[in-house]
Amino acid sequence: MKTLVDAQHTIAPAPAPSEGIRKRKRTELKYGLLFASPVLLGYLAFVLGPLVITFALGFTEYSMVGTPKFVGLDNFTRLFTGKEPLFYDAVVSTFYYVMVSVPLGIVFSFVLALLLNSKIKGRAFFRGLFYLPVIIPLAASSVIWLWMLQPDFGVVNYVLGLFGVPKIPWLSSDSTVIPTLILFSLWMTGNTMVIFLAGLQNIPSHLYEAIEVDGGNTLHKIWYITLPMSSSIIFFNTVIGFVNAFQTFVQPAVMTQGGPNNASYLIVYYLFKEGFQFTKFGTASAAAFLLFLIILLCTAVLFKFSDSLVYYEGQERGK
């Protein structure tokens, strides 16, 4: 009797997969890797490969002539000790630009998405109008704004002069060049606006109706419904915004060339000049790797606080 009971409660082992099933899985894996190979090869050739080479060149002295000479931590030491004076200028200017432009861009694009999500006449036209700058190449936009912001005959100063505003040295003053680049960054918030707009359209309308039944107004809807339900989109745009802002290059390269007095010498422009103008590829590679670590650290900090700030539907906060 005991043997019979034990036999009834014994779980039979799962049958081993047949040879046909194993063969089919191997075939699926082979074809899967075959179809994914262009992406994998592109990642190895254009992302992982250059990253490893840059890290290796950071420990060498190399000017594209001859073979790299191993110098150990000398490049990093020169950067940290100030023997490369423009590096600290570039770091300070970059953090100034990033820490102001990213929050300002998130707020501006979110407010713009709220307005374009409301029922207004010509809504489709305005959506296309605010997205249009993204289609224009950034270098072309930089040249156009460089002409418009010219202090003597630029369109912006001319229009402001009609209202009695004195001429502003937008890009020719140490104190105004970074704020001007920050304002210019708002010109390129079309992608962020579209992502916010897509998130706002996915918020269930019955949540807003419940607020109205309870006597809530527009501010209540935004604070208790829109912001919590959009927190994941805000987090995503913030991470992407920080990553892109740290890599800003075209604006200072086209509009200011790092000036005046190195006030807009952003770090990517710095490593570009070090590598391709002064042929100091070791120093440039070391600076590029430090930039990678800075971006990685900032991203890690954002993800660290995401659990307490981001609401995911169907999941308790902090879990």
Side-chain angles (χ1 to χ4, degrees):
M1 185 67 179
K2 182 178 180 181
T3 304
L4 179 61
V5 172
D6 293 341
Q8 290 177 346
H9 290 279
T10 301
I11 300 176
S18 63
E19 182 63 27
I21 295 177
R22 287 196 297 266
K23 184 177 181 181
R24 186 181 63 185
K25 288 184 177 181
R26 288 195 297 266
T27 303
E28 292 175 351
L29 177 61
K30 180 178 68 175
Y31 281 106
L33 292 175
L34 177 64
F35 285 112
S37 60
V39 177
L40 296 176
L41 292 176
Y43 178 81
L44 292 175
F46 301 109
V47 179
L48 186 60
L51 182 63
V52 173
I53 294 173
T54 300
F55 176 71
L57 287 177
F59 298 94
T60 66
E61 181 180 331
Y62 183 53
S63 61
M64 292 190 69
V65 179
T67 57
K69 177 184 176 182
F70 181 76
V71 294
L73 297 174
D74 184 62
N75 291 324
F76 295 94
T77 303
R78 291 177 61 85
L79 292 175
F80 281 115
T81 57
K83 292 182 179 180
E84 299 289 343
L86 290 178
F87 177 71
Y88 277 118
D89 294 339
V91 171
V92 172
S93 298
T94 301
F95 270 92
Y96 176 23
Y97 174 81
V98 170
M99 296 305 171
V100 178
S101 66
V102 174
L104 188 62
I106 293 296
V107 173
F108 177 77
S109 56
F110 185 74
V111 172
L112 195 59
L114 285 175
L115 295 176
L116 295 178
N117 193 47
S118 59
K119 297 180 180 179
I120 58 175
K121 293 183 179 180
R123 181 171 58 178
F125 168 77
F126 286 111
R127 288 178 179 177
L129 182 65
F130 284 106
Y131 186 77
L132 184 61
V134 180
I135 303 175
I136 303 174
L138 185 54
S141 298
S142 300
V143 172
I144 294 172
W145 278 97
L146 178 62
W147 171 74
M148 293 175 61
L149 295 173
Q150 211 283 334
D152 295 323
F153 54 83
V155 175
V156 176
N157 274 349
Y158 173 76
V159 174
L160 293 177
L162 298 178
F163 298 94
V165 179
K167 293 181 179 180
I168 300 175
W170 297 99
L171 297 170
S172 56
S173 173
D174 300 4
S175 60
T176 58
V177 61
I178 293 295
T180 301
L181 293 178
I182 292 171
L183 291 176
F184 176 76
S185 68
L186 300 180
W187 172 257
M188 304 299 298
T189 56
N191 280 332
T192 308
M193 178 204 70
V194 169
I195 296 174
F196 274 134
L197 194 58
L200 292 175
Q201 292 176 347
N202 286 329
I203 299 177
S205 59
H206 65 82
L207 298 177
Y208 293 113
E209 294 171 358
I211 288 286
E212 293 178 354
V213 170
D214 291 338
N217 54 30
T218 303
L219 292 179
H220 292 133
K221 293 179 181 178
I222 294 175
W223 183 257
Y224 293 107
I225 302 297
T226 306
L227 286 176
M229 297 297 292
S230 303
S231 58
S232 59
I233 307 297
I234 296 173
F235 173 71
F236 171 80
N237 282 332
T238 302
V239 172
I240 298 300
F242 271 101
V243 172
N244 291 335
F246 271 114
Q247 300 179 78
T248 300
F249 168 72
V250 175
Q251 298 92 313
V254 174
M255 302 176 73
T256 65
Q257 292 78 50
N261 300 321
N262 303 322
S264 61
Y265 220 90
L266 301 187
I267 191 168
V268 176
Y269 183 69
Y270 166 80
L271 63 91
F272 169 79
K273 295 274 285 188
E274 289 290 307
F276 293 98
Q277 182 172 338
F278 306 126
T279 63
K280 297 166 61 176
F281 279 90
T283 305
S285 298
F289 186 73
L290 290 177
L291 175 62
F292 168 75
L293 293 180
I294 291 172
I295 295 176
L296 184 65
L297 178 61
C298 290
T299 305
V301 170
L302 289 174
F303 273 93
K304 177 66 176 179
F305 291 100
S306 65
D307 289 342
S308 59
L309 297 176
V310 179
Y311 167 77
Y312 295 100
E313 188 174 1
Q315 178 180 358
E316 294 183 10
R317 180 169 292 187
K319 297 291 185 66

